Amino acid sequence: MTCVSAQTRTIFRNWIYYLSPVFYIWSEAAAQIVYTITEESSPGTSVGNLAKDLHLDVNELEARGFQISGPNTRYFQVNVKTGVLLVKDRIDREELCSRNVKCSLEVEAIVSSPLNLYRFEVKILDVNDNAPLFRIPEVVLNVSESAFPGEKFALPKAFDADVGSYSVKSYKLSQNEHFTLDVQNVGEPTMSAEMALHKTLDREKQAVIKLTLTATDGGKPPKSGTLYITVNVQDVNDNIPEFDKPLYKATVVENTPRGASVISVHARDLDEGLNGEIQYSFINQDNDNDVDKFAINPITGEITVNGELDHEKHSAVEIRVQVKDKGQNPRASHCKVLIEITDVNDNPPEITVTSLANMVREDAPLDTMVGLLTVKDYDADKNGIVQVRVLDSVPFKIKNTYKNHYSLVVDGTLDRERASQYNLTIMATDEGLPPLSSTSVITVHVSDVNDNAPRFADPVINIFVKENGPVGAVIYSMSADDPDVDENAKVTFQVIHNNKPNVIGSVINVNSETGDIISLQSFNYEELKTFNFKVQATDSGVPPLSSNVTVNVLILDENDNNPTILAPYSEHGSVNSENIPYSAEAGYFVAKIRAVDADSGYNALLSYHLSEPKGNNLFRIGTSTGEIRTKRRLSDNDLKTHPLVVLVSDNGEPSLSATVSIDVVVVESTAEIQTQFRHVPVKEDSFSDLNLYLLIAIVSVSVIFLLSLITLIAVRCHRTDGTFSRYSAPMITTHPDGSWSYSKATQQYDVCFSSDTLKSDVVVFPAPFPPVDGELISINGGDTFTRTQTLPNKEKVRYKIEY
């Protein structure tokens, strides 16, 4: 038997008592509580004293389990000690309410013993946390130099996620003499701007005009966004072809046969040659089928009938005719031709239903004509008056077009996916007594239209490919879905080149049928780290629809490059040697090996190791710095020449390495230590007078530097009575604390020497303004690697010595 305490039984009876009448008690007062807070308020910000506004006892809140509930608990919480409503998480008004002017959150609070549910509203006020933004960074306009002042050019709108006074309030065009800005805001939700030509252009004076459009919001302080505008001034001929009159009118009966002449238009161009030769054509931008019922002679301008005309469909056709010259930059003008189609009584005296279009497109607009009905009643007066209607509830209706002629037109939205055909019952009823009627059933088929574009699962595709991969491998297979059917759903893929050289075509290929992306070359991470292109998926509908996806290809590095020893120990076939005095102390700096690796990451992280097969463990090398120093003082038992082999290894898998040999020669006196200048070979064809002057300057400065160095050594030796051995010999070499820069395939350097005899340093700088195609590796402080891009294109060596 389970024992229940008296206290537990009492609590249980209280719950039953409070929950028996109704489980939820709604608070009418809470529904009227409205708090206001600005977006982006910090967590912990006070919204209001909820307990006070709900008339709750603060001392009982914690015991009654007072808390926030409902779908917006992530944004608010209540302090049960004080009853204050606090912000719990970041509130982004644009994320919650987009650009709606009103933005509020419905919040619920619950308390038990007894159980109550309160609802209140928190209004979110907008702050100016978004700057105006143009969806495209730059727009290019092609403007003829013969354009007249006052001609306007539409500009993209700026978008600001904020609303009200924080949205876009003004546009400003950069100062120029040719264009002005026309800002329009007449009853529109957003402002728009047009650029008007103020002063005639002259391509010979200025072929390209660079402008900047700035959009500013109404915040304090205001925020702004910019759009760069490039105006290309085009050279054209001087005269525009002109029609004799802007409007031509003609009348034609609906049963006019094919080839019959309707009207002729005429225009002339005052230019000569090709600039004066003109040709006529129709402007049918809307793909109006009625325009196709007529044809125009491109030479004479004669308009003739080219199809069957029907007054019941359209009693008049408006055609826009264009005349264009044949100049290199052709100019054109247009006129309007209004052709009135007069009706004739061409229907037999009987009740018939004629279907002019047994197939209707699913995107057919309202009042699209489907069929014609001719109702003839041989009776007279009211008995011959006929009313025609469609039975049942279908998206079609009957319209009276002319006397006893009726048309069946679309009266609702058609959707082939829901109904591919309709069996329509047409009823004609006269007004006789009793009325007589007849019916006819026609079938209207709904055809599919290409109203769905192919869709990619994601707007951006990221592909990771290892370098040195096989040529012809499929690196990715893309797909796109099209909800249409048959040819409208058959998708093909192609790369979009955007009128740029087909560079991508030499790197990858996209199978137009399967969407497989195939590599056409083996990638090299050191030459190409990443590239992107756009792929367009197009269906086979008419007209075809398409969508684009951006493909980012990222090349993954492999350890395929050995470390490279840098100057002065990188000359092939040369003997590297360094001299040290017999009096050298432990830790004496001998030389510094520098190397680089064309790879990246751990594949380019180098370590240095020393091999001293014939020595007696006299030298050591920094594994990360490459500095060679003595471990102890020299003794009489040590060799005079110490051949050292330095092994430089990277941290790749597997590890690659390079070696360099250095002979360290022990000399008795520091005077025997001479600075070694290693010459980097220069191509003969790149040697010039400038190189000769630099060489002469280097030799002169070097001689002066050496004479000064010898004089300083002699003075110090004289003053210290032969105690010079406690100083290291001054050498022209790299100092451990110095910095070294090296570039692959670099042929131009700046070499600087410090005036401090104890801290000589060699700094090699790359040539100014290097191209951005190559790869520059900088080593600062011995162990810090920085990779940038440079690749000089001239093989030169330039030395600059400062002291």
Side-chain angles (χ1 to χ4, degrees):
M1 178 179 294
T2 303
C3 297
V4 181
S5 63
Q7 182 179 2
T8 302
R9 289 194 299 270
T10 302
I11 294 174
F12 180 76
R13 285 195 301 269
N14 291 337
W15 273 96
I16 295 298
Y17 173 79
Y18 289 118
L19 293 178
S20 295
V22 61
F23 187 79
Y24 291 106
I25 301 176
W26 304 90
S27 176
E28 297 181 357
Q32 300 177 358
I33 297 177
V34 179
Y35 295 108
T36 301
I37 190 170
T38 59
E39 64 170 330
E40 305 294 346
S41 296
S42 303
T45 301
S46 175
V47 180
N49 195 325
L50 187 59
K52 179 180 178 181
D53 296 335
L54 296 177
H55 306 289
L56 298 176
D57 190 350
V58 177
N59 298 326
E60 297 179 356
L61 294 181
E62 185 173 6
R64 298 181 64 183
F66 189 49
Q67 61 180 350
I68 301 299
S69 63
N72 296 314
T73 54
R74 58 168 292 190
Y75 298 111
F76 302 100
Q77 63 182 2
V78 65
N79 188 331
V80 296
K81 301 293 185 181
T82 63
V84 176
L85 181 66
L86 305 174
V87 175
K88 181 180 180 182
D89 196 3
R90 172 179 175 267
I91 301 176
D92 188 348
R93 185 187 183 280
E94 288 72 33
E95 178 182 350
L96 293 173
C97 304
S98 185
R99 291 184 51 80
N100 294 330
V101 176
K102 181 180 179 181
C103 182
S104 62
L105 296 178
E106 294 288 341
V107 187
E108 299 176 355
I110 190 171
V111 65
S112 57
S113 300
L115 185 63
N116 280 273
L117 180 66
Y118 302 94
R119 286 185 175 178
F120 56 93
E121 181 181 351
V122 179
K123 290 185 177 180
I124 310 301
L125 301 181
D126 189 24
V127 298
N128 192 25
D129 56 345
N130 292 279
L133 174 67
F134 290 93
R135 289 185 169 90
I136 56 175
E138 182 178 5
V139 63
V140 179
L141 300 177
N142 297 321
V143 183
S144 171
E145 67 173 336
S146 61
F148 294 101
E151 186 171 348
K152 295 184 179 181
F153 307 91
L155 298 176
K157 294 181 181 180
F159 172 77
D160 196 322
D162 296 321
V163 297
S165 61
Y166 297 140
S167 61
V168 178
K169 293 301 180 184
S170 64
Y171 290 92
K172 182 179 180 182
L173 188 65
S174 59
Q175 186 68 30
N176 68 97
E177 61 176 333
H178 292 286
F179 295 96
T180 59
L181 194 64
D182 183 12
V183 180
Q184 301 172 351
N185 190 20
V186 183
E188 297 182 0
T190 59
M191 300 180 66
S192 61
E194 292 183 346
M195 191 170 65
L197 182 61
H198 175 69
K199 181 180 178 182
T200 304
L201 301 174
D202 190 347
R203 188 191 63 82
E204 287 71 26
K205 290 184 179 180
Q206 189 175 7
V208 179
I209 301 175
K210 298 288 187 179
L211 303 174
T212 302
L213 179 64
T214 303
T216 306
D217 61 21
K220 294 183 179 181
K223 295 185 178 182
S224 62
T226 57
L227 171 71
Y228 298 100
I229 305 172
T230 301
V231 179
N232 297 322
V233 183
Q234 295 182 330
D235 191 18
V236 295
N237 54 45
D238 297 329
N239 295 284
I240 302 175
E242 294 182 354
F243 285 94
D244 294 341
K245 51 185 178 180
L247 177 63
Y248 293 82
K249 293 183 179 180
T251 302
V252 62
V253 295
E254 64 177 344
N255 58 354
T256 301
R258 289 175 179 262
S261 177
V262 179
I263 194 174
S264 293
V265 296
H266 180 263
R268 61 178 180 173
D269 193 328
L270 299 179
D271 294 326
E272 296 180 354
L274 292 177
N275 292 333
E277 294 183 12
I278 59 176
Q279 56 185 3
Y280 302 91
S281 62
F282 286 159
I283 301 176
N284 192 10
Q285 297 174 334
D286 299 328
N287 293 325
D288 189 356
N289 294 331
D290 294 314
V291 176
D292 296 336
K293 303 296 183 182
F294 300 90
I296 187 170
N297 189 309
I299 305 300
T300 64
E302 181 183 19
I303 299 176
T304 58
V305 176
N306 192 43
E308 295 181 1
L309 306 180
D310 194 340
H311 173 80
E312 282 72 28
K313 287 185 177 180
H314 291 285
S315 59
V317 176
E318 180 181 297
I319 302 176
R320 299 177 65 190
V321 179
Q322 175 181 264
V323 60
K324 181 185 295 185
D325 60 33
K326 298 181 180 180
Q328 183 178 2
N329 294 314
R331 301 192 68 177
S333 62
H334 63 272
C335 71
K336 186 181 296 183
V337 178
L338 183 61
I339 302 176
E340 181 181 2
I341 303 174
T342 59
D343 179 65
V344 295
N345 190 15
D346 54 354
N347 295 295
E350 56 191 22
I351 301 175
T352 58
V353 177
T354 303
S355 178
L356 298 179
N358 56 5
M359 186 72 71
V360 182
R361 293 166 57 93
E362 65 173 320
D363 61 346
L366 294 177
D367 292 335
T368 298
M369 188 174 293
V370 178
L372 289 177
L373 290 80
T374 303
V375 180
K376 179 67 175 179
D377 196 317
Y378 294 99
D379 295 332
D381 299 329
K382 290 186 178 181
N383 294 332
I385 300 176
V386 179
Q387 301 294 332
V388 184
R389 61 190 179 95
V390 180
L391 301 181
D392 302 326
S393 177
V394 290
F396 297 94
K397 68 178 181 179
I398 297 294
K399 291 181 63 176
N400 181 249
T401 57
Y402 178 73
K403 293 185 179 180
N404 60 335
H405 296 280
Y406 299 85
S407 61
L408 176 66
V409 297
V410 177
D411 189 42
T413 302
L414 302 180
D415 190 350
R416 188 201 61 83
E417 287 71 24
R418 290 191 301 176
S420 60
Q421 73 176 35
Y422 291 90
N423 295 321
L424 305 179
T425 301
I426 310 299
M427 174 177 286
T429 305
D430 61 26
E431 296 184 2
L433 292 175
L436 300 176
S437 63
S438 62
T439 60
S440 178
V441 178
I442 64 172
T443 301
V444 177
H445 297 275
V446 180
S447 64
D448 185 35
V449 297
N450 192 25
D451 54 353
N452 293 282
R455 295 182 180 178
F456 291 95
D458 299 302
V460 178
I461 298 176
N462 295 319
I463 305 175
F464 297 89
V465 182
K466 289 186 177 180
E467 67 172 330
N468 304 322
V471 177
V474 177
I475 62 176
Y476 190 82
S477 294
M478 62 177 57
S479 61
D481 295 329
D482 194 319
D484 292 323
V485 295
D486 300 330
E487 292 297 319
N488 293 336
K490 185 179 180 181
V491 180
T492 58
F493 303 87
Q494 65 175 352
V495 178
I496 303 177
H497 301 295
N498 294 330
N499 296 327
K500 297 181 179 178
N502 190 7
V503 178
I504 297 299
S506 62
V507 180
I508 57 96
N509 180 43
V510 176
N511 189 308
S512 61
E513 299 296 333
T514 63
D516 292 341
I517 301 178
I518 303 171
S519 62
L520 299 181
Q521 68 177 33
S522 181
F523 298 110
N524 188 346
Y525 175 83
E526 288 70 40
E527 297 178 357
L528 181 65
K529 294 178 175 56
T530 180
F531 64 91
N532 61 74
F533 56 93
K534 286 188 177 181
V535 175
Q536 184 179 73
T538 307
D539 58 30
S540 300
V542 178
L545 300 178
S546 62
S547 62
N548 302 338
V549 66
T550 299
V551 180
N552 297 321
V553 180
L554 299 94
I555 312 303
L556 303 179
D557 183 41
E558 290 188 344
N559 192 25
D560 56 349
N561 290 279
N562 291 76
T564 302
I565 307 298
L566 301 182
Y569 304 107
S570 61
E571 300 179 24
H572 296 290
S574 62
V575 178
N576 303 305
S577 64
E578 297 288 347
N579 297 334
I580 63 173
Y582 176 77
S583 59
E585 298 287 344
Y588 181 82
F589 180 79
V590 178
K592 184 170 183 177
I593 307 302
R594 292 179 172 86
V596 294
D597 195 312
D599 295 319
S600 64
Y602 285 100
N603 295 331
L605 184 60
L606 304 181
S607 60
Y608 301 84
H609 305 280
L610 189 62
S611 174
E612 192 179 4
K614 297 182 180 180
N616 50 2
N617 200 21
L618 176 60
F619 301 95
R620 60 182 173 85
I621 187 171
T623 58
S624 60
T625 63
E627 295 180 356
I628 302 176
R629 295 180 181 270
T630 58
K631 288 185 176 180
R632 55 178 175 80
R633 294 194 59 180
L634 299 176
S635 65
D636 295 336
N637 297 329
D638 292 324
L639 299 174
K640 298 302 182 181
T641 300
H642 299 266
L644 304 180
V645 178
V646 179
L647 176 67
V648 184
S649 303
D650 58 30
N651 282 266
E653 290 293 340
S655 177
L656 301 178
S657 62
T659 59
V660 61
S661 299
I662 300 177
D663 291 341
V664 181
V665 180
V666 181
V667 297
E668 295 296 333
S669 172
T670 58
E672 299 181 21
I673 300 177
Q674 297 181 355
T675 303
Q676 303 276 343
F677 288 93
R678 290 176 172 82
H679 178 64
V680 178
V682 182
K683 289 187 177 180
E684 295 182 0
D685 56 0
S686 65
F687 192 81
S688 63
D689 293 340
L690 180 60
N691 299 114
L692 180 60
Y693 297 151
L694 291 175
L695 183 59
I696 294 173
I698 291 173
V699 173
S700 301
V701 174
S702 301
V703 171
I704 296 174
F705 176 75
L706 290 176
L707 292 177
S708 302
L709 186 62
I710 293 173
T711 302
L712 180 61
I713 293 174
V715 171
R716 289 193 176 183
C717 290
H718 177 72
R719 290 182 179 180
T720 56
D721 244 353
T723 60
F724 183 77
S725 60
R726 63 196 179 102
Y727 296 97
S728 299
M731 301 175 62
I732 304 176
T733 180
T734 56
H735 188 262
D737 297 331
S739 62
W740 182 282
S741 299
Y742 168 72
S743 174
K744 292 192 308 178
T746 302
Q747 290 84 20
Q748 183 169 337
Y749 301 86
D750 287 344
V751 182
C752 300
F753 297 91
S754 173
S755 60
D756 191 343
T757 60
L758 298 180
K759 293 181 64 180
S760 298
D761 196 8
V762 179
V763 181
V764 180
F765 300 94
F769 307 107
V772 297
D773 301 22
E775 185 174 86
L776 174 65
I777 300 179
S778 299
I779 305 177
N780 302 321
D783 293 330
T784 303
F785 295 80
T786 304
R787 185 181 300 269
T788 57
Q789 298 289 325
T790 181
L791 184 58
N793 52 12
K794 294 184 180 179
E795 295 186 355
K796 286 187 178 180
V797 178
R798 180 166 64 90
Y799 298 90
K800 179 180 178 183
I801 303 179
E802 299 178 358
Y803 64 93

